[in-house]
Amino acid sequence: KEECCRHVFLLEKLEEFWGEAEPLAAAHHAEVEGEMAMKRPFAPDLAAIKQMIDLGMMIAVCARTAGGELVGYCSWTIMMDPESMGCKVAHMGPWFHRPGSGVSARAVMKFSLDALRARGCQAVFFHHRLLGRGAELGRFFSALGASEVQRTFYLELEGQG
């Protein structure tokens, strides 16, 4: 648990905050998915997420007001890098804060990176979507010292699902 400005940052398990997070997650999905929402509808697999959390493969950083209201979250998937023996990495998942909440991006990242270091992670992979408020996050990640190393493309496989 860490306090910064008007917010408290802490790690929480999904089952502890999903009821509060679902409206934020739905808003995030609507903001960043655009036309892809028809192909990737908002339908989180809560059982799979819980299993990943229980296995230590996922963490969620929550941002709360001093009064306890959830105003944002950032999730991370933790795994061994199959291309580099012995290297544990984290991949950034959804990161969303209610517009106007005043949550500090730097404070969220500091708390996240400290939590990931404590879990033995040696590197993180940041990402940002092309739509929504996060479309320009590349500059923020660069300012943290990150380098752009890949681009991600989505291809829906016909006849699957």
Side-chain angles (χ1 to χ4, degrees):
K1 179 177 173 180
E2 184 173 312
E3 293 187 36
C4 173
C5 312
R6 305 179 320 223
H7 299 97
V8 177
F9 301 99
L10 59 160
L11 296 175
E12 294 186 44
K13 290 190 174 186
L14 177 72
E15 59 268 21
E16 296 171 355
F17 73 96
W18 179 247
E20 296 172 272
E22 187 172 14
L24 297 178
H28 177 240
H29 189 268
E31 180 179 329
V32 301
E33 288 296 320
E35 293 178 15
M36 289 228 348
M38 294 299 291
K39 297 177 181 180
R40 267 186 97 234
F42 179 71
D45 186 341
L46 301 179
I49 293 169
K50 182 182 183 322
Q51 183 177 29
M52 291 174 71
I53 291 169
D54 291 346
L55 292 170
M57 296 174 63
M58 181 179 274
I59 63 170
V61 173
C62 295
R64 292 187 176 276
T65 64
E69 177 189 5
L70 181 71
V71 292
Y73 60 86
C74 182
S75 68
W76 297 88
T77 302
I78 300 168
M79 62 184 279
M80 297 306 294
D81 185 342
E83 297 178 12
S84 184
M85 187 180 297
C87 183
K88 187 185 275 191
V89 298
H91 290 263
M92 188 175 123
W95 178 16
F96 182 80
H97 297 101
R98 182 177 297 134
S101 65
V103 174
S104 164
R106 287 200 180 278
V108 171
M109 280 303 120
K110 179 187 180 313
F111 187 90
S112 292
L113 297 177
D114 287 348
L116 293 166
R117 278 187 200 95
R119 283 157 181 73
C121 292
Q122 296 162 283
V124 299
F125 286 88
F126 296 114
H127 82 278
H128 67 84
R129 302 302 290 262
L130 301 176
L131 298 175
R133 292 172 292 140
E136 301 298 322
L137 278 174
R139 286 186 286 223
F140 174 70
F141 300 144
S142 292
L144 294 175
S147 300
E148 185 175 15
V149 296
Q150 70 182 24
R151 299 197 183 218
T152 304
F153 295 83
Y154 176 85
L155 172 67
E156 187 168 315
L157 301 177
E158 306 243 351
Q160 299 299 311

